[in-house]
């Protein structure tokens, strides 16, 4: 039977319901955690470069802030929907809880395609987004960050607009800012490195040496590139990456069985993580269909592109050789595909654990911004490694002790922590 059309929020709720049953959560806890606390939908009018006006739709969803101020990125995407933002806000709540940082879960978005917008138009969207939401975010209640197709530059425009409105300096209002403008060293690397810190621990547990492993990666953006960098430094070999091709409106896989070379590929990649097909071919890469990354004979799969990529339709293509899936992206695996992966005994490092390095480093940035004192890069990355490693070990211990799938074990820890905070506050 085909999976019904993908809705990220329904998927997030399905995952939550499963864990609520495992935990035998009382009805009030289910009610408070199953839906966002509050959400904002608004218009952002922009005077375009050609003089016409265009109105963009923006969102901010605050899922739960019982453990601390909301935290979560802002995505610019033409297919952005409120349900995707709701799901991502919910996953942020679990993500902050699993790494045990004192933050809640939020997410934002704008329906737009930066490929077709000038930098000036993007700046006006950023400033317009802040004007609509300034009174409902801030260093002590909800702190945005970059995400898909938003960057340090976008964050700086947003911080600047917030400071104009608020009449003061508030570097703690937003994270992912440029270094030297309140940003933290190590933030750019944090998510991709964090994926590999958890992968390294999984390999250790399975008594496998990284240098004896081969991986296939979906995506070639921020998360994928830094995951590849650290994984290859540990001795692993990546034979495939894939990316979206804006011109052809489809995705492609780039394979080099001898191992992809990160720096040579970065030179022919645009800032959206799109690789130039012709130049890759000249460098000797095989250009394969977009889905080919999933069916390679590798030990490790790292989906690090977008949600809804490992589905009932392609999960059976995963090679018998695959031992670990480390989810760099948010929500790359649908519940139906997840059941197959669990049954096959593949070791899953679930998204909100594997990719929590970004928010952990954002938390470090917030701490540094609020203190106006900035740490050396090795201090940031050392603290990140410690946080990711202890979170991984806690989840893995829980999985072994309670005989749970890794995703369920991570959920049990997070949902318990958030429900406990709600109870302590007297909300339920
Ligand atoms: P990015 O925009 O830098 O890169 C995305 C990459 O995915 C690009 O290479 C793009 O071409 C590729 N891609 C897009 N659609 C594709 C498709 N259909 N098939 C194959 N490739 C496709 O984004 P990013 O920051 O690397 O984020 C990737 C994922 O990780 C997202 O799910 C994001 O929500 C998640 N994430 C990012 C961070 C972060 O700090 N950047 C933190 C946590 C989670």
């Amino acid at each position: 039977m085909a999976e019904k059309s993908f809705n990220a929020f329904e998927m997030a709720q399905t995952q939550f319901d499963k864990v609520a049953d495992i935990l035998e959560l009382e009805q009030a806890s289910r009610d408070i955690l199953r839906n966002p606390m509050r959400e904002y939908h608004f218009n952002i009018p922009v005077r375009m470069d050609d003089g016409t006006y265009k109105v963009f739709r923006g969102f901010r969803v605050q899922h739960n802030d019982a453990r601390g101020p909301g935290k979560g990125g802002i995505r610019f995407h033409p297919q952005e929907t409120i349900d995707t933002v709701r799901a991502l806000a919910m996953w942020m709540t679990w993500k902050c809880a699993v790494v045990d940082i004192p933050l809640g879960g939020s997410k934002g978005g704008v329906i737009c395609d930066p490929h077709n917008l000038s930098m000036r138009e993007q700046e006006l969207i950023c400033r317009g987004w802040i004007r609509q939401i300034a009174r409902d975010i801030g260093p002590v209640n909800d702190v945005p960050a970059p995400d898909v197709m938003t960057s340090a530059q976008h964050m700086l425009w947003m911080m600047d607009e917030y400071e104009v409105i608020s009449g003061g300096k508030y570097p703690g209002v937003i994270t992912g800012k440029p270094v030297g403008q309140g940003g933290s060293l190590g933030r750019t690397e944090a998510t991709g490195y964090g994926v590999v810190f958890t992968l390294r621990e999984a390999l250790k547990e399975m008594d496998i040496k990284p240098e004896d492993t081969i991986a296939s990666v979906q995506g070639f953006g921020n998360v994928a590139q830094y995951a590849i960098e650290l994984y290859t430094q540990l001795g692993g070999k990546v034979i495939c990456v894939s990316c979206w091709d804006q011109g052809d409106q489809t995705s492609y896989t780039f394979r080099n069985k001898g191992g992809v070379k990160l720096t040579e590929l970065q030179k022919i990649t645009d800032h959206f993580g799109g690789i130039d097909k012709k130049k890759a071919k000249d460098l000797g890469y095989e250009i394969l269909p977009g889905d080919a990354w999933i069916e390679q004979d590798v030990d490790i799969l790292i989906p690090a592109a977008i949600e809804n990529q490992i589905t009932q339709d392609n999960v059976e293509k995963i090679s018998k050789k695959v031992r670990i899936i480390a989810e760099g992206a948010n929500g790359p695996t649908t519940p139906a595909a997840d059941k197959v992966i669990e049954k096959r005994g593949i070791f899953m490092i679930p998204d909100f654990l594997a990719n929590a390095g970004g928010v952990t480093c954002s938390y470090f940035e917030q701490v540094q911004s609020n203190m106006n004192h900035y740490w050396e890069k090795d201090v940031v990355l050392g603290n990140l490694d410690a946080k990711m490693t202890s979170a991984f070990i806690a989840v893995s211990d829980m999985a072994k002790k309670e005989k749970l799938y890794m995703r369920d074990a991570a959920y049990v820890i997070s949902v318990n922590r958030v429900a406990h905070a709600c109870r302590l506050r007297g909300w339920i």
Side-chain angles (χ1 to χ4, degrees):
M1 199 171 68
E3 250 172 294
K4 77 184 183 66
S5 74
F6 177 74
N7 179 308
F9 188 46
E10 283 173 13
M11 169 171 151
Q13 289 185 317
T14 304
Q15 292 170 342
F16 170 75
D17 291 342
K18 183 177 173 195
V19 175
D21 289 345
I22 294 174
L23 286 170
E24 297 177 359
L25 267 194
E26 68 281 13
Q27 194 57 43
S29 295
R30 291 176 195 241
D31 290 344
I32 208 159
L33 297 176
R34 205 171 183 276
N35 286 295
M37 285 181 322
R38 63 187 83 87
E39 55 186 52
Y40 305 87
H41 304 213
F42 43 85
N43 288 337
I44 307 171
V46 169
R47 187 159 177 237
M48 306 298 282
D49 290 349
D50 65 6
T52 60
Y53 277 87
K54 199 164 172 188
V55 178
F56 295 89
R57 198 78 182 140
F59 309 108
R60 186 74 180 168
V61 174
Q62 297 168 345
H63 173 259
N64 188 285
D65 60 8
R67 287 174 45 87
K71 188 89 198 75
I74 305 162
R75 300 168 16 127
F76 282 4
H77 202 278
Q79 270 92 47
E80 194 61 284
T81 68
I82 184 61
D83 273 346
T84 309
V85 183
R86 286 175 179 141
L88 289 162
M90 196 193 234
W91 287 327
M92 285 306 297
T93 303
W94 314 139
K95 200 179 290 192
C96 294
V98 83
V99 282
D100 206 10
I101 53 179
L103 298 172
S106 291
K107 204 79 182 187
V110 179
I111 305 173
C112 69
D113 188 352
H115 291 98
N116 307 324
L117 295 165
S118 70
M119 289 312 276
R120 180 194 153 276
E121 290 164 342
Q122 291 183 48
E123 176 178 349
L124 292 178
I125 293 176
C126 289
R127 291 185 185 278
W129 192 90
I130 287 290
R131 280 202 295 277
Q132 294 300 328
I133 197 77
R135 66 184 81 80
D136 300 300
I137 60 162
V140 293
N141 51 359
D142 183 11
V143 182
D147 204 282
V148 172
M149 289 202 265
T150 54
S151 67
Q153 176 63 75
H154 297 96
M155 297 307 109
L156 194 59
W157 286 325
M158 289 185 171
M159 181 189 83
D160 186 68
E161 189 67 24
Y162 184 85
E163 291 183 341
V164 168
I165 294 168
S166 309
K169 293 292 171 196
Y170 294 94
V173 69
I174 213 155
T175 60
K177 306 177 293 289
V179 172
Q181 290 283 334
S184 174
L185 292 166
R187 175 62 187 89
T188 317
E189 296 88 341
T191 308
Y193 278 19
V195 172
V196 178
F197 291 145
T198 60
L199 174 59
R200 180 197 63 202
E201 293 306 307
L203 288 167
K204 218 184 269 174
E205 237 180 51
M206 297 164 86
D207 208 14
I208 303 171
K209 292 196 179 79
E211 56 269 34
D212 294 337
T213 63
I214 298 176
S216 174
V217 178
Q218 188 192 33
F220 197 62
N222 172 265
V223 179
Q225 291 185 29
Y226 285 102
I228 293 169
E229 183 173 278
L230 189 58
Y231 171 67
T232 48
Q233 277 171 20
L234 295 180
K237 181 165 88 171
V238 174
I239 59 159
C240 268
V241 298
S242 73
C243 70
W244 181 252
D245 187 293
Q246 185 62 15
D248 295 352
Q249 287 291 297
T250 187
S251 57
Y252 293 105
T253 298
F254 298 75
R255 184 169 70 182
N256 182 341
K257 285 189 172 165
V260 305
K261 293 194 185 67
L262 180 64
T263 45
E264 83 176 4
L265 274 185
Q266 282 170 328
K267 283 186 196 136
I268 58 166
T269 300
D270 65 27
H271 68 278
F272 297 110
I275 302 169
D276 186 313
K277 273 202 313 294
K278 188 179 169 315
K279 289 182 181 159
K281 209 167 179 184
D282 292 344
L283 288 168
Y285 286 83
E286 294 170 79
I287 317 288
L288 307 171
D291 235 12
W293 72 278
I294 206 175
E295 56 193 49
Q296 302 301 311
D297 271 333
V298 292
D299 310 286
I300 299 160
L301 291 178
I302 307 180
I306 51 166
E307 63 279 356
N308 191 28
Q309 295 304 299
I310 305 180
T311 67
Q312 195 170 280
D313 294 337
N314 62 13
V315 67
E316 300 293 351
K317 292 184 185 169
I318 294 177
S319 157
K320 297 272 174 293
K321 198 165 180 269
V322 170
R323 306 278 305 275
I324 301 176
I325 299 177
E327 294 184 324
N330 287 314
T333 310
T334 64
D338 212 27
K339 277 190 192 145
V340 178
I341 291 167
E342 180 178 359
K343 215 163 160 193
R344 277 184 51 181
I346 296 174
F347 192 99
M348 169 63 77
I349 313 177
D351 50 5
F352 67 91
L353 170 63
N355 70 32
V359 74
T360 304
C361 195
S362 281
Y363 165 61
F364 296 156
E365 178 179 334
Q366 220 183 324
V367 170
Q368 295 169 77
S369 286
N370 291 339
M371 291 192 305
N372 210 2
H373 168 75
Y374 291 86
W375 311 342
E376 298 299 329
K377 188 170 178 177
D378 56 350
V379 174
V380 176
L381 294 177
N383 287 342
L384 179 68
D385 193 348
K387 268 280 181 209
M388 296 300 293
T389 300
S390 62
F392 175 88
I393 291 171
V395 173
S396 160
D397 285 353
M398 167 72 77
K400 278 183 271 184
K401 190 166 135 241
E402 302 295 333
K403 296 194 173 31
L404 291 172
Y405 184 46
M406 278 289 281
R407 190 184 310 279
D408 296 339
Y411 262 107
V412 163
I413 289 176
S414 295
V415 172
N416 250 335
R417 284 180 180 160
V418 180
H420 182 61
C422 293
R423 278 185 218 111
L424 279 179
R425 283 172 180 271
W427 292 358
I428 45 176

